[in-house]
Amino acid sequence: MRIYADQNKNELTAVICNQCKKELKVKKGIIKEGCFCGDIRFGYFSRKDGSRHSFDLCEECYDKLIKGFAIPVEEEEVTEFI
Ligand SMILES: [Zn+2]
C-alpha cells in the first residue's frame, strides 16, 4: 500500500508491503528497493467488473509468490533501470 503526503497522490511518502507489512525505503518520493506493484482493473468478463485492486509487495514476498507458480516467470536481462 502507498501513503501519499497529499490527496492528489503527487508526493509518495511511504510504501508498505501488503503481505508482510514491511516498510520499503522511500526517498524523495522514489522507492529505493525492489517492489512489485500490482494494479488491476477488472472488466466486464470478470467476476469483479468495475473493481480496481492495487497492492505492493516487497522483494522477499514477491519471491515467495513466484516460487508457487507452476510455470516460472519469464526472465530477461534489462540494461535500463527505472
Ligand atoms: Zn513483504
Side-chain angles (χ1 to χ4, degrees):
M1 74 171 277
R2 291 170 181 236
I3 298 166
Y4 293 89
D6 56 317
Q7 279 193 330
N8 294 329
K9 297 183 174 182
N10 289 321
E11 195 184 334
L12 181 69
T13 54
V15 178
I16 299 163
C17 174
N18 283 71
Q19 181 74 32
C20 72
K21 293 184 175 177
K22 175 189 166 187
E23 188 167 346
L24 279 68
K25 287 181 199 124
V26 175
K27 244 183 189 175
K28 294 182 179 175
I30 297 164
I31 306 167
K32 294 288 187 179
E33 62 182 294
C35 176
F36 176 82
C37 313
D39 187 8
I40 176 106
R41 292 166 199 234
F42 288 98
Y44 183 74
F45 296 106
S46 76
R47 292 187 303 270
K48 301 177 199 61
D49 184 25
S51 180
R52 180 183 181 187
H53 290 187
S54 58
F55 60 91
D56 295 282
L57 293 179
C58 70
E59 201 167 348
E60 289 78 21
C61 289
Y62 173 80
D63 288 343
K64 284 180 206 163
L65 172 74
I66 67 168
K67 229 178 178 179
F69 286 3
I71 299 169
V73 297
E74 292 174 36
E75 193 174 341
E76 63 182 272
E77 292 289 321
V78 286
T79 50
E80 284 181 35
F81 294 95
I82 298 169

